[in-house]
Amino acid sequence: MSAQAKRTHRITVAAMLSAVAFVLMFLEFPIPALIPPFIKMDISDLPELLAAFALGPVYGVVVTLVKNLLFIIFHGTSSAYVGELCNFLLGSVFSFSAGLIYRHHKSRRSALLGALLGCALMAVISVPINYFIVYPVYAVVYAPMDVILGAYQTILPSADTLIECLTIFNMPFTFCKGIVDVVLCFLIYKPLSPILHK
């Protein structure tokens, strides 16, 4: 395959994965017994992880960006755009770190190591992003901070500060969300490999 053909193929696959990721953003659901209902589970990070492994870490970031732009264009925002910004930042950290490790040593073991590291980084970084960016905007636009904290306290009454709530609830939730994407990625990567690497 020529260099031009490879580039065309990568752009085509990235566009396809971006479209799939955009659709998956609509398939979200709350887990109210474990985390406040305004935080929802989805698997829209799966296509960007596939892109990072198949095409390279930069393509993982590109898919993350395009899916959020498509979501804003066709759906609008229900989070004053900070939800989409958070999704982009966390998804980029997840896919880029996983893809970067895999690129330097392409094996199933390094892919797993990179994906797990990506999950951990995404979970840890979710705390300052939510604390300094997302929740301050929510508190101004949607509900006062005491109402937001109250949603956490219905699950854990002893949680009385935002940083405590983010550490106890959001960080492990984000990690588990990443793990779901990793498991699905490892299940479907090989069957999709002919398309991703044609």
Side-chain angles (χ1 to χ4, degrees), residues 42-49 67 87 91 94 122 177 181:
D42 71 78
I43 57 169
S44 66
D45 291 332
L46 172 60
E48 61 213 42
L49 187 60
K67 81 167 182 185
N87 185 286
F94 179 39
M122 179 172 65
K177 182 173 175 284
D181 292 318

Side-chain angles (χ1 to χ4, degrees), residues 17 66 84 95 110 135 142 156 173 177 182 186 189 193 196:
L17 291 173
V66 172
E84 290 77 23
S95 60
S110 67
Y135 280 69
Y142 297 110
L156 184 65
F173 175 81
K177 182 173 175 284
V182 172
F186 274 74
Y189 188 86
S193 188
L196 299 174

